[in-house]
Amino acid sequence: MGKAAVVRAFEEIRAALAVLQAEVDGEGLEAFADADAVSDPLAGLADGCLDILAGAREVEARVAGVKAKAAVGYAEAAHAVAGPDVPVVAQEMAVAAEIGCVLALGPRAAASFLATSHALTSSLPRTLEALQSGTLSWQHAIVLADETASLDAAGAAALEAHFLDPEAQDAARGCPVGELPAHRFRVKARTWRERHHAESMEKRHARGVAERRVEFRPDRDGMAWLGAYLPADQAMSGWNRLTAAARGLQGPGEDRTMPQLRADSFTAAILGSGNTRGGSTSLTSASATAGALAAARPGAGAGGTDGAGPGRLPSVRAEVLVTVPVFALMGLTDEPAMLDGYGPVPASMARRLVADGAASFYRVLVDPRDGAPLEIGRKSYRIPKAMRAWLRMRDGKCPFPGCSNTSLDTEADHLLAWHHGGTTGISNLGQPCPKHHRLRHTTAWKPTPASTNEPPGWTSPTGRHYTSEHQDWEPPKWPPGFLPGERSLLEEALLKHLGV
């Protein structure tokens, strides 16, 4: 064993890679079409390449697991060899430097890789197991390590079990974690963490509010980044307002893209210039800037009712769904609410939005028994609007795998076309974003059946099926002191009050 075994193993890996390379280049011993008895050579090649991609993903995950264990093994051995006389910080720097040189990583990247590796081997056994089995990528492992970093051991184990143990009492539904893009998994993991963190979200939010700031970062080619760290309701309102303003500027003679239109509207608002064409703009006066910032205050600009003027965006309406546990709305619990397109927010923020009557927010109450949507605000009482709002709550976003477009940027679509006998009902409706709506009608990508509570999946042109994300609804928390009998009576009273 030892080094000789390692050398032989990598020789075999290189030989296997050479075989795969030859297959992709069409120089293998057997063509994909012949091997699969496919009459169309191009279809056989396409399907074979997808098989290689799927296998490569699994192998990359397994290799990442080996790398993580090897890094921790080296670190532990190096610490033991160094002895007690070497300062701990210096030894950690030396270990990270060695690993960085071997993997051609910078100091920060090497330290981050080592920290994630330590987390996997010491406190995230399910994650390491999934990585070693090839069902979870290194990017997913990073997400789990990041989102459990501030949790205690019990909280980290519970988060792992929710997403990785199908037998868990509250196991996540829908698309398996390993089949979700890592950026989408981060959203779901962050949502679970916010709901189950041992420390109250109100306290954590208060610290965040105290740290609000604007940041400036130079970039290449005469460009720079300007961003703000804000409470989620303000940031979401601002983003939706910019999006609505950008859409209002679109037209036959407008050649700018949506990102360009958002950027130009943002520039006009903060500089108070009224120039929505972008380019060089100078700050004309402090009063103009103050007017622009005032337009972004909750209540002043969130509802999109401001008229055009110095430092203000054109009159627009930006809508957001706020899903509020009914007891949190009543002030009996501090359970987080859900801000559509963002995730969990403090209950106090949701109560404020509802109490202030913010025109851009639709209130959605949820059932105290299972967390399902219960009642939609009076503004959405009419059937077409209520059905559209239910779709938004069911799917949360465009249901195409990996898409992050929020529910307010989607289009209702019949899964079974109306002229083919399809009905207009929740179980026959999807809400893809414009890009994936066009993909559905211009290519062989097709949605699969949906239900009242589950969005449609998708079938690709090659016949592969991909499951959509599901909303991670949870039963709301009951106020302390309620006995089972009292809870039943309160449930009946609430449902009767809401007309359910």
Side-chain angles (χ1 to χ4, degrees), residues 332-389:
L332 299 177
T333 68
D334 284 328
E335 187 177 1
M338 291 291 291
L339 183 61
D340 183 44
Y342 171 78
V345 295
S348 59
M349 180 185 293
R351 287 193 290 267
R352 186 178 70 250
L353 291 172
V354 173
D356 291 347
S360 61
F361 292 89
Y362 282 151
R363 178 198 65 192
V364 180
L365 300 183
V366 296
D367 196 317
R369 297 167 296 184
D370 58 10
L374 187 65
E375 182 245 341
I376 302 168
R378 293 295 181 184
K379 297 178 183 178
S380 297
Y381 177 77
R382 290 188 299 174
I383 295 298
K385 288 185 178 180
M387 188 176 293
R388 186 73 171 89

Side-chain angles (χ1 to χ4, degrees), residues 173 184 187-188 191 236 320-321 323 338-343 373 387-400 403-410 429-433 452-456 468-473:
R173 302 182 303 115
R184 289 304 314 164
V187 173
K188 297 181 79 67
T191 298
M236 201 74 228
V320 177
L321 289 175
T323 306
M338 291 291 291
L339 183 61
D340 183 44
Y342 171 78
M387 188 176 293
R388 186 73 171 89
W390 184 274
L391 279 175
R392 292 172 181 169
M393 290 184 288
R394 184 193 70 181
D395 298 0
K397 67 175 191 66
C398 169
F400 193 85
C403 184
S404 297
N405 281 327
T406 61
S407 63
L408 293 170
D409 194 30
T410 56
L429 289 174
Q431 56 155 13
C433 67
T452 303
N453 296 315
E454 296 184 356
S468 293
E469 276 185 50
H470 289 184
Q471 292 275 59
D472 228 358
W473 299 115

